[in-house]
Amino acid sequence: MDVHTHCYPDMNINEEMIRLSRMLGIEQLWVSYHPYAMSGFKPSSEEVWRVNEFVYGLSRRFKEVRGFVHVNPLNQDAVKMTEFFIRERGFIGVKLYRAVRVSKRIVDPVIEVAVENNIPILVHTAHRLYPTSRPNESEPDDIRSLALRFPRAKIIMAHITGGGDWEYAISRIRDLPNVYVDIGGSVTDYGSVEEAVKVLSDDRVLFATDTLISAAVARIMNAEISEESRVKILRLNAMRLLGEQA
């Protein structure tokens, strides 16, 4: 089960993703619209509604696709949108990108909806090791703040191998049982999966691609972990996270 991937406006790309996923036996894709295919990191309400409806259309066409509602918490209708796509469109999670850090209280009403509906919240996260002009990008300490405010929230700290210091990221959420990590992303450093399992246990690590399918598959299949842990990461942990919605 791929807990973090994206779709694009180009259906050829989406169809190829489905083809590869079926070939590899990936039975569920937790999909949100790719933010780089949007107009910016603080998209308007109209744009966010449109891209979420696009994801819904994919979920109707491909049985593997499970929708994550992309939310810009700065928009006035963020709560209404979140509720609609969960209750009326059957989406199974919330995706927060780079509109605002999740340590800011403005995200709280959206988080409350997710908690009320018992669904996971996937947060784009990175701890960069180089100068960057990403003031609204959540870091592991922002995730920590969110998890402490909402101990019942099911939080996925996205792509620990998506760029930055993954060892630091893992260490900052060690003692927060409601925070999971996904292993998607482009970084192929040796030992990332092993360190996550060692520090967090194999119950809090989730398979994901972030659209980079070959890197993610190689990362999990070559990780020096037990087969029991591999099965948990590939499938069982995601099923437990979803509960009745799996």
Side-chain angles (χ1 to χ4, degrees):
M1 296 171 70
D2 183 351
V3 308
H4 176 188
T5 193
H6 298 286
C7 61
Y8 296 83
D10 185 341
M11 281 302 300
N12 291 322
I13 298 175
N14 301 327
E15 290 169 357
E16 180 67 5
M17 177 179 69
I18 295 294
R19 187 188 70 81
L20 290 173
S21 298
R22 288 176 176 172
M23 184 177 69
L24 292 166
I26 301 174
E27 61 190 55
Q28 282 193 25
L29 304 170
W30 297 4
V31 176
S32 59
Y33 201 84
H34 202 298
Y36 281 9
M38 300 172 72
S39 62
F41 300 140
K42 298 180 180 181
S44 68
S45 173
E46 292 77 10
E47 182 176 16
V48 180
W49 278 93
R50 177 178 56 79
V51 300
N52 284 321
E53 287 287 7
F54 185 91
V55 174
Y56 175 64
L58 282 184
S59 73
R60 299 272 291 177
R61 179 175 175 185
F62 301 109
K63 61 181 176 57
E64 294 89 348
V65 173
R66 309 292 302 274
F68 265 53
V69 54
H70 184 111
V71 181
N72 176 359
L74 303 178
N75 290 338
Q76 290 187 349
D77 62 350
V79 167
K80 177 183 177 181
M81 180 182 300
T82 306
E83 291 175 336
F84 175 82
F85 280 95
I86 293 168
R87 297 171 184 171
E88 303 299 326
R89 294 293 192 240
F91 281 25
I92 61 166
V94 170
K95 172 64 187 291
L96 298 176
Y97 194 56
R98 285 164 51 187
V100 61
R101 290 176 181 256
V102 295
S103 56
K104 303 298 184 182
R105 298 280 180 166
I106 195 169
V107 307
D108 288 5
V110 171
I111 305 302
E112 288 168 0
V113 174
V115 172
E116 179 183 347
N117 287 275
N118 196 31
I119 62 171
I121 305 129
L122 175 64
V123 184
H124 172 93
T125 316
H127 182 66
R128 305 289 174 182
L129 296 175
Y130 47 84
T132 175
S133 58
R134 294 182 169 185
N136 298 311
E137 182 173 62
S138 292
E139 295 203 12
D141 288 332
D142 298 297
I143 296 290
R144 184 172 186 84
S145 170
L146 179 65
L148 290 172
R149 295 202 312 276
F150 292 94
R152 292 175 51 227
K154 299 176 179 180
I155 302 165
I156 304 173
M157 187 168 71
H159 45 47
I160 58 169
T161 39
D165 188 340
W166 48 265
E167 291 178 297
Y168 176 82
I170 292 168
S171 72
R172 292 303 293 149
I173 52 100
R174 175 199 297 261
D175 60 334
L176 300 171
N178 61 323
V179 182
Y180 301 74
V181 298
D182 85 49
I183 60 168
S186 59
V187 176
T188 56
D189 291 354
Y190 175 80
S192 56
V193 176
E194 293 89 337
E195 181 70 7
V197 169
K198 176 183 175 182
V199 174
L200 304 176
S201 88
D202 57 11
D203 291 324
R204 293 169 56 198
V205 184
L206 302 163
F207 175 75
T209 66
D210 195 18
T211 73
L212 301 165
I213 296 175
S214 59
V217 171
R219 187 179 296 117
I220 183 62
M221 297 312 295
N222 288 290
E224 295 181 359
I225 56 177
S226 70
E227 286 307 305
E228 179 183 3
S229 293
R230 209 180 318 274
V231 171
K232 284 185 175 182
I233 294 168
L234 285 168
R235 188 171 189 269
L236 298 183
N237 291 342
M239 291 182 67
R240 176 167 47 83
L241 197 61
L242 280 189
E244 294 180 357
Q245 298 183 78

